[in-house]
Amino acid sequence: MNRPVIVVHGGAGAFRESMWEACLAGCRQAALAGWERLRAGGAALDAVEAAVQVLEDDPAFDAGRGSFLNMAGVVQMDAIIMDGRTLDLGAVAAVERIRHPITLARRVMERSPHNFIVGPGAMAFAEQEGISFCDPDELQGVHVLEDSATAPGMDTVGAVAVDLAGNFAVATSTGGTPGKWPGRVGDSPLVGAGAYADNRCGAASATGEGEKLMRLVISKTACDRLAAGIPAPQVAAEVIRLLHTRVGGHGGLILVDREGRVGLAHNTQSMPHAYVLPRGEGPLETTLVVAMEARLY
Ligand code: ASP
């Protein structure tokens, strides 16, 4: 029997103080939604999907409802989900009018022969799957209505989890960067960059400057270090330092390793996050941590 753990993040960036409460409440709710699945013996894959759905529904975050507009004034979203048991994955990019891109990514993984479908093709697949489309206005977040000069930088969402059976999973979902070029895709839906999970080492979800994060294949880089036996807290710190020294990037990482240790690091002002893990041996005694900042570098 393994110790189940779930960690969620709401993006790495500079968040207006007026948004902090909403960000923390959203992370808390998402972590608990995932934890409910894990506690009941559910799969890590279901837990990360449930957690990310909560964050996609929350207009405080740049994913699903709350996504930034691109240069053409359109919301285009990216998402990935990965199963650490099989290394199977599903991803979508540049999709529009989808309430839960993470669920579409999971359908790609489970119900198509492919791993990654983008743009109109992904939307046609959604239609075939009976996933309903929403009004574009439903996705636009509260933050995009404010002065763009003071708008927060990034607030992609992600979740990593390990379940009672010792299976790892990760899910990452984003509306991308504000004012991006139409069709621009960052690190988030790229396997190894925005997310990676492998039962042999753990799981990682990244956030931040996609153009920089993808150069380091940052989530896979972190998982490789976990595989070398380095504890998750140390890996998170080292890899975020590498992001800065090697490519001058800003971002954040959440990790869970095979010992159930949680790693959190960012070199941005904030990275709202929450995690739940068992306290001691009793399955009902849990520790819930919710915070705007992890360790700063
Ligand atoms: N990494 C995301 C992207 O570049 C943005 C974010 O993390 O907020 O699309």
Side-chain angles (χ1 to χ4, degrees):
M1 208 70 128
N2 290 269
R3 279 160 54 86
V5 179
I6 182 153
V7 193
V8 308
H9 72 76
F15 292 75
R16 281 190 311 272
E17 235 176 289
S18 58
M19 293 297 291
W20 288 9
E21 219 179 284
C23 288
L24 293 171
C27 285
R28 182 177 196 278
Q29 195 193 337
L32 290 173
W35 179 254
E36 279 312 304
R37 307 298 194 284
L38 296 177
R39 202 176 58 129
L45 208 53
D46 293 330
V48 293
E49 183 187 5
V52 166
Q53 279 183 348
V54 168
L55 296 165
E56 286 177 335
D57 276 336
D58 192 328
F61 302 105
D62 173 31
R65 224 175 129 228
S67 292
F68 288 122
L69 299 175
N70 69 12
M71 194 191 276
V74 175
V75 165
Q76 287 188 327
M77 300 161 294
D78 314 320
I80 182 169
I81 191 162
M82 185 166 185
D83 183 349
R85 192 173 56 90
T86 56
L87 302 187
D88 203 1
L89 66 105
V92 293
V95 295
E96 299 171 17
R97 293 181 292 123
I98 302 280
R99 273 302 280 269
H100 292 296
I102 202 63
T103 297
L104 181 55
R106 185 161 181 182
R107 296 285 182 95
V108 169
M109 176 171 87
E110 291 177 344
R111 293 174 55 88
S112 89
H114 307 301
N115 287 355
F116 195 175
I117 310 181
V118 307
M123 286 150 71
F125 177 71
E127 204 170 341
Q128 182 186 294
E129 283 296 304
I131 290 179
S132 54
F133 289 84
C134 64
D135 194 278
D137 294 343
E138 276 181 51
L139 297 175
Q140 189 174 326
V142 281
H143 48 213
V144 298
L145 301 176
E146 305 239 349
D147 176 10
S148 62
T150 58
M154 298 155 269
D155 41 350
T156 288
V157 306
V160 294
V162 54
D163 60 29
L164 278 165
N167 291 317
F168 286 81
V170 58
T172 303
S173 181
T174 189
T177 47
K180 66 187 178 183
W181 193 273
R184 174 269 185 191
V185 177
D187 62 301
S188 304
L190 306 182
V191 60
Y196 202 75
D198 184 343
N199 277 9
R200 293 175 301 176
C201 50
S205 171
T207 168
E209 294 176 278
E211 283 71 10
K212 304 279 176 67
L213 297 165
M214 69 170 78
R215 294 180 201 174
L216 288 178
V217 200
I218 194 162
S219 291
K220 178 68 163 68
T221 296
C223 283
D224 286 347
R225 291 182 184 211
L226 296 179
I230 308 170
Q234 193 181 329
V235 169
E238 283 177 8
V239 172
I240 289 301
R241 208 173 298 130
L242 181 70
L243 175 67
H244 199 251
T245 55
R246 187 68 183 92
V247 293
H250 290 91
L253 257 186
I254 60 170
L255 303 173
V256 60
D257 67 23
R258 281 180 52 87
E259 308 299 322
R261 290 174 296 220
V262 171
L264 292 154
H266 57 100
N267 61 357
T268 53
Q269 186 195 81
S270 310
M271 182 177 70
H273 60 271
Y275 58 88
V276 189
L277 32 81
R279 190 186 323 141
E281 296 306 310
L284 295 177
E285 292 281 298
T286 56
T287 298
L288 165 68
V289 174
V290 189
M292 279 304 284
E293 286 171 19
R295 298 175 59 181
L296 291 177
Y297 294 91

